[in-house]
Amino acid sequence: MTEVIDGNAVAADIREGLTDAIERLADADARPGLATVLMSDDPASETYVSMKQRDCEEVGITSHHVEIDPDAPAAELLDTVAGLNDDPDVNGILVQMPVPDHVDERRVLRAIDPAKDVDGFHPENVGRMVAGNARFKPCTPHGIQKLLEHYDVETEGAEAVVVGRSDIVGKPMANLLIQKEPLGNATTTVCHSRTADLAAHTREADVLVAAAGVPEMIDGSMLKGGATVIDVGINRVDADTEKGYELIGDVEYESAKDVAGAITPVPGGVGPMTRAMLLYNTVWAASEQANVDVDLP
Ligand code: NDP
C-alpha cells in the first residue's frame, strides 16, 4: 500500500508544538515577532505575504509588515531592512522575493542580520549549513526533513535524487541530505535542466525530491518501486474549476502512486510544511535572541 504523506497533519503538529514555546517566550516578555517586507505589486507575492501574516497570528507570533513602492529606489528597501535589524521587537525578517529588477536581490539578502534571517538565504547561513553547523535551515528543505522524520524514511545509505538546483530548494535540500547527521547520510545526486538522462537517475532513487517547476514531468515509469516521492512543485495549470485553474505537482500523481512506497500530494504535502517551518525558524530566532530556552517540535 502506498502511504500518502500528509503535510497538513504534520504541519499542524508542528504549529501545535510551537504554541507552547511561544507562550513560554511571551511569559518571558519575549513574544516572537516576524517582519515581512513586500516590494512588489504581484498578486502572488501579496498572497504569500498575507498567508505568512495569518500563519503568525494563528500561533501567537506578532507580525510586522512593511510595504515599499516597487518603483522606489533600492536604498529604501535597504534602509527598511537596516531598521528592522535594529528593532528588538523583530526577531525574524523576510523580504518577499522577487524584488523589482532595479534592486540587487543578493545585496538585499546580505543586508539582513544573519541572526534574523529566518529564510536562511544569507550567505553566512548558507555557509553554516553547508559546513554542517546550520543556524536557520531554509524552510522548504527543512520541512521535507520533518516529513521524512515523521514517516520514518531512512535516508542513511539511501540513494537520494533531487531534481532542481535552485538556491531555495534544490541546493539546500541536497546539502542537508549529504550531511553526516540524522536525516542526512544519503548518497545524493542533483539533476537539473542539463541532465542528459533524467529518468536513468530518478529510477535509482530511494528518496526522490522533485523541485523543477515543470508540471507532471516525472511519472510512475521514472520511479523505483517503493521509493519515497517528495513533490515540491506547485504549478498552476488551466482547468475547468471555479477558479479556472488547478495546482499540480512535478510528479504525475496517478501513475506515481502505484509505484511509490510513499508520496506527497499537491496540494497538502510540502507546501504546508514550508509555511510551518517559517514559524519554527522565527520562534527559534526569538529564543536565541532572548536567551530563553524552549522545546521546539
Ligand atoms: P527554480 O525555477 O528556481 O528552479 C527549478 C530547477 O529545476 C532549476 O534548477 C532547473 O534547472 C530545474 N529544471 C527545470 N526544468 C527541468 C527539467 N526539465 N529537467 C530537470 N530539471 C529541470 O524553481 P524553485 O526551486 O524555486 O521551485 C521549484 C518548484 O517548487 C516550483 O514549482 C515552485 O513553485 C515550487 N516551490 C514549492 C514550494 C513549496 O513549499 N511546496 C516552495 C518553493 C518552491 P536549471 O538550474 O538548469 O535551470
Side-chain angles (χ1 to χ4, degrees):
M1 273 296 284
T2 307
E3 187 154 32
V4 178
I5 296 177
D6 187 346
N8 283 322
V10 181
D13 281 353
I14 289 177
R15 291 150 79 113
E16 176 71 30
L18 288 174
T19 313
D20 293 341
I22 292 164
E23 285 319 308
R24 178 159 155 67
L25 285 162
D27 289 345
D29 209 16
R31 182 177 291 281
L34 174 71
T36 49
V37 183
L38 178 65
M39 189 176 187
S40 166
D41 45 23
D42 169 41
S45 291
E46 286 168 359
T47 305
Y48 290 141
V49 165
S50 59
M51 273 170 18
K52 288 164 189 171
Q53 291 170 278
R54 204 173 61 227
D55 287 346
C56 283
E57 276 159 33
E58 278 173 16
V59 294
I61 293 175
T62 307
S63 75
H64 309 254
H65 182 56
V66 185
E67 275 186 36
I68 298 175
D69 187 322
D71 295 325
E76 197 169 322
L77 177 55
L78 295 170
D79 288 348
T80 298
V81 169
L84 296 169
N85 285 343
D86 290 339
D87 185 340
D89 291 335
V90 170
N91 305 110
I93 301 170
L94 182 147
V95 178
Q96 184 64 44
M97 298 294 169
V99 286
D101 288 345
H102 68 280
V103 180
D104 178 352
E105 175 181 315
R106 287 176 194 270
R107 193 164 168 208
V108 174
L109 294 178
R110 282 199 307 272
I112 297 172
D113 179 347
K116 296 189 175 185
D117 169 40
V118 285
D119 261 339
F121 298 155
H122 187 288
E124 181 180 313
N125 288 326
V126 175
R128 284 183 59 150
M129 179 187 64
V130 172
N133 177 30
R135 183 195 269 137
F136 298 110
K137 295 181 187 176
C139 300
T140 301
H142 194 184
I144 292 170
Q145 280 196 315
K146 292 285 182 192
L147 287 178
L148 297 175
E149 183 179 29
H150 187 92
Y151 282 86
D152 287 326
V153 177
E154 183 61 85
T155 55
E156 180 164 331
E159 295 290 330
V161 174
V162 179
V163 184
R165 56 175 165 185
S166 71
D167 291 343
I168 64 168
V169 188
K171 278 187 208 157
M173 185 76 254
N175 258 301
L176 292 174
L177 283 163
I178 61 167
Q179 292 299 325
K180 200 168 182 175
E181 57 184 41
L183 302 164
N185 288 316
T187 304
T188 305
T189 303
V190 181
C191 300
H192 43 74
S193 68
R194 313 297 162 88
T195 297
D197 185 351
L198 181 66
H201 295 285
T202 58
R203 279 193 201 108
E204 296 298 317
D206 302 306
V207 177
L208 177 74
V209 179
V214 181
E216 297 183 335
M217 65 178 290
I218 293 166
D219 65 23
S221 75
M222 297 168 72
L223 301 175
K224 181 176 180 176
T228 298
V229 178
I230 306 290
D231 189 354
V232 183
I234 301 178
N235 306 291
R236 187 186 274 213
V237 294
D238 292 341
D240 191 13
T241 62
E242 203 175 303
K243 290 180 175 163
Y245 67 85
E246 64 178 336
L247 298 178
I248 60 171
D250 288 355
V251 177
E252 192 189 70
Y253 188 80
E254 284 308 313
S255 64
K257 81 171 181 352
D258 294 336
V259 184
I263 186 167
T264 59
V266 176
V270 176
M273 296 303 295
T274 299
R275 291 169 64 178
M277 298 323 286
L278 177 66
L279 306 175
Y280 179 106
N281 279 352
T282 304
V283 174
W284 190 74
S287 114
E288 287 289 300
Q289 287 161 35
N291 215 3
V292 175
D293 281 340
V294 291
D295 289 329
L296 289 174

